[in-house]
Amino acid sequence: MDFFGIPPQALLGQLLLGLINGAFYAMLSLGLAVIFGMLNIINFTHGAQYMMGAFAAYFLLHYLGLGYWWALILAPIGVGAVGVAIERTMLRHLYKLDHLYGLLLTFGLALVVQGLFQNEFGSSGLPYRIPAELQGGQNLGFMFLPNYRAWVVLVSLAVCLATWFLIERTRLGAYLRAATENPALVQAFGINVPRMITLTYGFGVALAAFAGVLAAPIYQVNPLMGSNLIIIVFAVVVIGGMGSIMGAILTGFGLGLIEGLTKVFYPEASSTVIFVIMALVLLVKPAGLFGRTA
Amino acid sequence: MGFQHRVMIGLGAVGILAPFVVYPIFLMKALCFALFAAAFNLLVGYVGLLSFGHAMFLGMAGYAAGHAAKVWGLPPELAILFGTAVAAALGLVVGAIAIRRQGIYFAMTTLALAQMVYFFCLQVPFTGGEDGIQAIPRGRMFGFLDLADTLTLYYVVLAIVAAGFLLIYRTIHSPFGQILKAIRENEPRAISLGYRVDHYKLLAFILSAALAGVAGATKAIVFQLASLTDVTWQMSGEVVLMTLLGGLGTVFGPIAGAFIVIALETYLAQMGSWVLVIQGAIFVVCVLTFRRGVVGELARLVNRPL
């Protein structure tokens, strides 16, 4: 049984790859959306922080002997703490200025971080092993499913939904959304808005680092791994619009799948398909699929 | 005569004498980037649109001019003209898509579209992929100016860049430029006054893209090379850096910024990735403490617009 002359194994394999890419798009665009909602800043450093997460996992293993599971907890905390420091010392001074300055500052930080890592580790990747518990795979009859890839899709889906729940369904999330609408009023109710902003940025950064740890065994740990991804994630964000958390998640996974399908049917366009979709969405619905017109 | 005119004449004089003091190849590179940055500044400084993908116009114009000069055997003036036309056409398409969003979305959209152009250039055969188009002939300008002679080439480049710069200067100070500034300051108000804001934005975008194209095409003829470097997002970031460092929305800022950044890169060329770190650090310092840029601060010092 073939689909348009494509054997089902190849099709499903590419769909799985697309789903994994989509998981990373979703996690990263979710972090960008959360940060943008609160800080009104597009965090260009997001890709570098994702890369830092992967490197943190590598350092933990090679210098402290702490494996994958520890890295999954410690790397986001560590990189998130760096994010908190960045917010406290730099981003804080930009809130009253044009949004573009935030983009420029975080772009500069991304260059600094990438340059430092490239200096130290060159541009070739460092290997990171799949943890013993997740090696091997399942034979589903119609295709072979590596355990680690299934794990990545499931855990990223869980993290995305947990973030959605946190922001849309809890009291803390309500404060957060209220502070996005009117920070002065929320502060007048006795809620420490500046601290909430700091923690939001830290959380968004931690999410990027978490994605980086998940990515380490799939892609190699590479100083350049974030810089190319971040531009695609920007396109994802433009397509989805940053108004909705669920929108970011759906757009991320959806575009990953579309990219996977393109790899099967028209491989030449696989690197550009997301950008083409972005252009089309902008022409038809400028606010993005889930965006609110400002 | 206004203060800005005197500064311009002074700069012109320096430009004419400079090749006898400074290495001309360096000067030509810096001049091309000065025009590139000035074209970029027309958009960000006077319309308030931050394009994070301007490298696509620089790079595509370079490829087009290189292809025209090498494969079609066109003389340099027609090759540069062709490169400019390609950049303007690309500007029309990209501009029409990107101006549908403002602010941060505009920046992200242009960046993403530029990345699409990058992948396009990487895959299509005429760009030569990773090798680029090499050994582009310089030829004879208008049939009698032999560009193989470095000094002749320098003055041709100086004339092209000066012409581009004067066009930008005229645009800024024309009624059209006043409307652009009005859009930057208060877009809803400009709309309510009856201006078709989108037309003005698109026109400014095409003009900026075309001038960036002039810079890219000239650069390709000067260095006899059109390569992928000029279409990367790093290049888009570099022109932002030049303009920010020189002074956003100042007339002379992009020129100063381009010369400083190119000088920095020339001296730090051996230091590899440290260049990236230093560029990033300049970004951070500029945004946090030096938002007026070099020329903006100078203008404040002499208390005159520059």
Side-chain angles (χ1 to χ4, degrees), chain A residues 174-216:
Chain A
Y175 290 155
L176 222 73
R177 281 177 289 134
T180 309
E181 296 292 326
N182 192 337
L185 196 61
V186 173
Q187 187 136 23
F189 285 144
I191 291 163
N192 191 341
V193 172
R195 179 177 300 159
M196 228 156 71
I197 292 178
T198 307
L199 291 178
T200 305
Y201 187 72
F203 175 75
V205 170
L207 211 55
F210 183 80
V213 180
L214 282 182

Side-chain angles (χ1 to χ4, degrees), chain A residues 51-156:
Chain A
M51 177 264 283
M52 282 165 78
F55 266 97
Y58 179 82
F59 293 148
L60 284 171
L61 184 66
H62 282 259
Y63 298 116
L64 299 175
L66 295 173
Y68 178 81
W69 303 105
W70 280 107
L72 223 42
I73 301 166
L74 293 178
I77 294 175
V79 181
V82 176
V84 165
I86 290 172
E87 199 278 339
R88 279 275 152 115
T89 53
M90 297 182 206
L91 295 178
R92 174 146 294 183
H93 306 289
L94 302 179
Y95 297 143
K96 291 198 182 73
L97 301 171
D98 195 317
H99 298 349
L100 297 174
Y101 284 111
L103 180 77
L104 296 179
L105 182 92
T106 48
F107 178 70
L109 284 175
L111 289 185
V112 171
V113 172
Q114 194 189 321
L116 288 174
F117 276 85
Q118 250 178 292
N119 254 337
E120 202 57 40
F121 301 97
S123 299
S124 56
L126 304 165
Y128 190 89
R129 283 170 63 82
I130 295 176
E133 296 86 345
L134 292 171
Q135 277 171 6
Q138 310 295 326
N139 195 342
L140 302 179
F142 51 91
M143 70 174 291
F144 181 76
L145 177 67
N147 285 341
Y148 188 76
R149 308 216 154 186
W151 156 256
V152 167
V153 172
L154 290 178
V155 79
S156 55

Side-chain angles (χ1 to χ4, degrees), chain A residues 158-183:
Chain A
V159 165
C160 285
L161 292 177
T163 307
W164 171 81
F165 186 81
L166 179 72
I167 290 175
E168 301 286 343
R169 291 288 182 269
T170 65
R171 179 165 286 263
L172 180 67
Y175 290 155
L176 222 73
R177 281 177 289 134
T180 309
E181 296 292 326
N182 192 337

Side-chain angles (χ1 to χ4, degrees), chain A residues 32 36 40-42 44 89-91 93-94 97 99-105 107-109 111-116 118-119 224 227-228 230-232 234-235 237-238 241-243 267-272 275-276 278-280 282-288 292 294, chain B residues 40 44 48-50 52 93 96-120 122-123 233-234 236-238 240-241 244 248 271-288 291-292:
Chain A
L32 279 181
F36 183 75
N40 266 326
I41 276 178
I42 274 292
F44 217 124
T89 53
M90 297 182 206
L91 295 178
H93 306 289
L94 302 179
L97 301 171
H99 298 349
L100 297 174
Y101 284 111
L103 180 77
L104 296 179
L105 182 92
F107 178 70
L109 284 175
L111 289 185
V112 171
V113 172
Q114 194 189 321
L116 288 174
Q118 250 178 292
N119 254 337
L224 301 172
S227 65
N228 293 320
I230 188 70
I231 300 178
I232 302 178
F234 277 1
V237 163
V238 173
M242 278 186 292
E268 290 82 2
S270 63
S271 52
T272 47
F275 303 121
V276 174
M278 181 192 78
L280 292 176
L282 279 172
L283 289 175
V284 179
K285 199 166 181 294
R292 289 168 294 187
Chain B
F40 168 78
V44 68
L49 293 172
L50 175 72
F52 228 106
V93 176
I97 296 169
I99 59 164
R100 298 176 72 84
R101 297 304 306 267
Q102 283 133 19
I104 251 160
Y105 282 99
F106 180 86
M108 287 195 289
T109 307
T110 43
L111 176 64
L113 290 172
Q115 191 73 354
M116 183 165 94
V117 170
Y118 169 81
F119 282 119
F120 171 78
L122 189 63
Q123 286 175 346
W233 60 264
Q234 286 91 339
S236 295
E238 215 161 283
V240 181
L241 178 66
L244 181 68
L248 284 176
M271 293 180 62
S273 302
W274 283 111
V275 178
L276 220 58
V277 179
I278 292 167
Q279 283 182 345
I282 296 176
F283 257 109
V284 172
V285 171
C286 276
V287 171
L288 286 178
R291 282 186 288 275
R292 285 193 193 86

Side-chain angles (χ1 to χ4, degrees), chain B residues 255-304:
Chain B
I255 303 179
F259 273 83
I260 297 171
V261 170
I262 296 297
L264 210 67
E265 277 169 17
T266 310
Y267 287 112
L268 298 179
Q270 289 89 27
M271 293 180 62
S273 302
W274 283 111
V275 178
L276 220 58
V277 179
I278 292 167
Q279 283 182 345
I282 296 176
F283 257 109
V284 172
V285 171
C286 276
V287 171
L288 286 178
T289 63
F290 198 61
R291 282 186 288 275
R292 285 193 193 86
V294 175
V295 171
E297 291 290 344
L298 271 179
R300 211 162 63 108
L301 220 61
V302 300
N303 207 10
R304 283 188 166 114

Side-chain angles (χ1 to χ4, degrees), chain B residues 90-160:
Chain B
L90 185 64
L92 172 67
V93 176
V94 170
I97 296 169
I99 59 164
R100 298 176 72 84
R101 297 304 306 267
Q102 283 133 19
I104 251 160
Y105 282 99
F106 180 86
M108 287 195 289
T109 307
T110 43
L111 176 64
L113 290 172
Q115 191 73 354
M116 183 165 94
V117 170
Y118 169 81
F119 282 119
F120 171 78
C121 292
L122 189 63
Q123 286 175 346
V124 293
F126 89 93
T127 60
E130 302 272 356
D131 298 331
I133 304 177
Q134 297 178 2
I136 297 166
R138 282 179 179 163
R140 289 170 167 272
M141 193 83 151
F142 305 120
F144 65 95
L145 290 169
D146 184 6
L147 298 188
D149 177 57
T150 308
L151 212 56
T152 313
L153 180 65
Y154 172 79
Y155 286 116
V156 167
V157 171
L158 183 66
I160 293 173

